[in-house]
Amino acid sequence: MNIVSRYFRAGMTRRIRKRVLPNLGRILTGWQIRRCRCCERITLFLTFGTDEETRICLRCTANLRYELQAEYLRENFNPESLDILEMDPNSCLRRFLSRGRTYIRSYFRPGHKPGTVREEDGSVMEDITRLTLPDASLDIIVSSDVLEHVPDVAAAFRETFRVLRPGGTHVFTVPYEARTVRRAMIENNGIMHIETPEYHSDPLDPRGILAFWHFGPDLDVHFGHSGLGFALVKGPEGKRRSVVWAARKPI
Ligand SMILES: [Zn+2]
């Protein structure tokens, strides 16, 4: 055995001892075999944490909030006749949403020019507060745990109102809190914290991503002036009280 493989084997043993063994009970007891409400197949759900946020379908990677969102979309929309924007290039909802008449998937990176098409997967860089899409050009916008991280969320709702057709809907998930509160804001190009900083896990950043907002059942009171009508359409469900919101542009 050479020095490199010995090193990796030692690392692997250490990782198993430190991370897997202490959590083995939870990983095993959290397993579920059931029909996934997103991909609609019988599947194994694996748990990697303490709540349903980290319990995922082995086939499509959906967790509870994605399952709720998939269920709402399937129950209420026939994608074939709709123009759709999904603000996530890799979500488990793509299998359903990509059946749309048109389907745009977008990604977000600060510093990238809005409208840039990424070569690796064809997704488009979009900033939800200044979309590059024309007025009244979409029937559905889908975002999943995005809006709580947008400092100027009023601008995001103004933009979604602008690009939706009358009768169009922005279907979104955000963590469900007791009330709507701004937790942080951007001032003089820096972050000003109003509440204790709260970070959510982010696949792109090991430090996590800051929550600028909490959203509660009073969402309509705070952002109804955008012209959108907000309705809680799924949940709360599970330990984390997962919900789905539909923000609809009136006909
Ligand atoms: Zn699934």
Side-chain angles (χ1 to χ4, degrees):
M1 189 161 60
N2 67 30
I3 187 86
V4 175
S5 63
R6 205 178 303 158
Y7 172 80
F8 277 110
R9 185 167 296 188
M12 181 79 77
T13 310
R14 199 166 51 241
R15 276 200 297 277
I16 290 173
R17 205 170 51 228
K18 279 193 161 172
R19 294 188 193 165
V20 178
L21 292 182
N23 295 315
L24 200 58
R26 195 170 64 210
I27 290 171
L28 293 177
T29 54
W31 282 16
Q32 288 179 346
I33 295 176
R34 62 172 171 86
R35 186 182 167 87
C36 171
R37 293 152 79 182
C38 180
C39 66
E40 297 190 290
R41 292 176 286 188
I42 299 292
T43 179
L44 177 64
F45 278 81
L46 292 177
T47 301
F48 298 98
T50 52
D51 62 27
E52 63 278 351
E53 179 66 12
T54 46
R55 178 181 291 143
I56 59 165
C57 167
L58 204 56
R59 289 177 182 254
C60 78
T61 74
N63 59 12
L64 179 60
R65 65 185 160 87
Y66 276 110
E67 288 189 274
L68 294 177
Q69 210 168 14
E71 210 169 57
Y72 175 73
L73 288 163
R74 213 170 28 243
E75 285 165 358
N76 291 278
F77 301 100
N78 171 15
E80 274 86 11
S81 58
L82 303 173
D83 297 311
I84 299 167
L85 166 66
E86 184 178 22
M87 311 213 66
D88 181 344
N90 299 311
S91 98
C92 50
L93 303 171
R94 176 149 59 108
R95 219 162 67 105
F96 175 76
L97 295 173
S98 61
R99 286 163 39 203
R101 180 168 54 201
T102 61
Y103 170 67
I104 302 166
R105 52 184 173 141
S106 71
Y107 74 98
F108 176 73
R109 291 287 178 288
H112 284 204
K113 189 168 173 267
T116 305
V117 177
R118 192 160 68 174
E119 217 170 90
E120 65 197 72
D121 62 3
S123 64
V124 184
M125 158 62 199
E126 289 289 354
D127 176 341
I128 198 167
T129 64
R130 47 188 184 118
L131 296 168
T132 63
L133 298 147
D135 295 357
S137 59
L138 293 174
D139 301 294
I140 303 182
I141 300 170
V142 175
S143 68
S144 306
D145 279 22
V146 168
L147 290 164
E148 71 272 26
H149 304 296
V150 177
D152 190 357
V153 81
F157 289 131
R158 273 201 305 276
E159 271 297 89
T160 57
F161 180 86
R162 179 183 70 75
V163 301
L164 283 172
R165 297 196 173 102
T169 310
H170 182 176
V171 179
F172 63 91
T173 65
V174 286
Y176 191 58
E177 306 290 349
R179 62 194 180 95
T180 300
V181 180
R182 187 197 284 268
R183 303 186 58 84
M185 59 197 292
I186 301 287
E187 206 169 68
N188 303 324
N189 292 323
I191 294 171
M192 192 178 94
H193 295 284
I194 301 163
E195 305 281 339
T196 311
E198 179 183 293
Y199 292 89
H200 298 169
S201 65
D202 179 2
L204 297 173
D205 188 343
R207 291 167 304 176
I209 180 169
L210 180 68
F212 282 85
W213 290 91
H214 271 183
F215 296 118
D218 54 351
L219 199 49
D220 202 48
V221 177
H222 289 264
F223 298 106
H225 57 80
S226 62
L228 297 167
F230 293 82
L232 196 61
V233 292
K234 285 275 177 190
E237 257 191 56
K239 266 193 210 166
R240 190 180 176 262
R241 294 163 56 75
S242 296
V243 292
V244 178
W245 286 92
R248 192 157 178 266
K249 179 170 175 172
I251 294 173

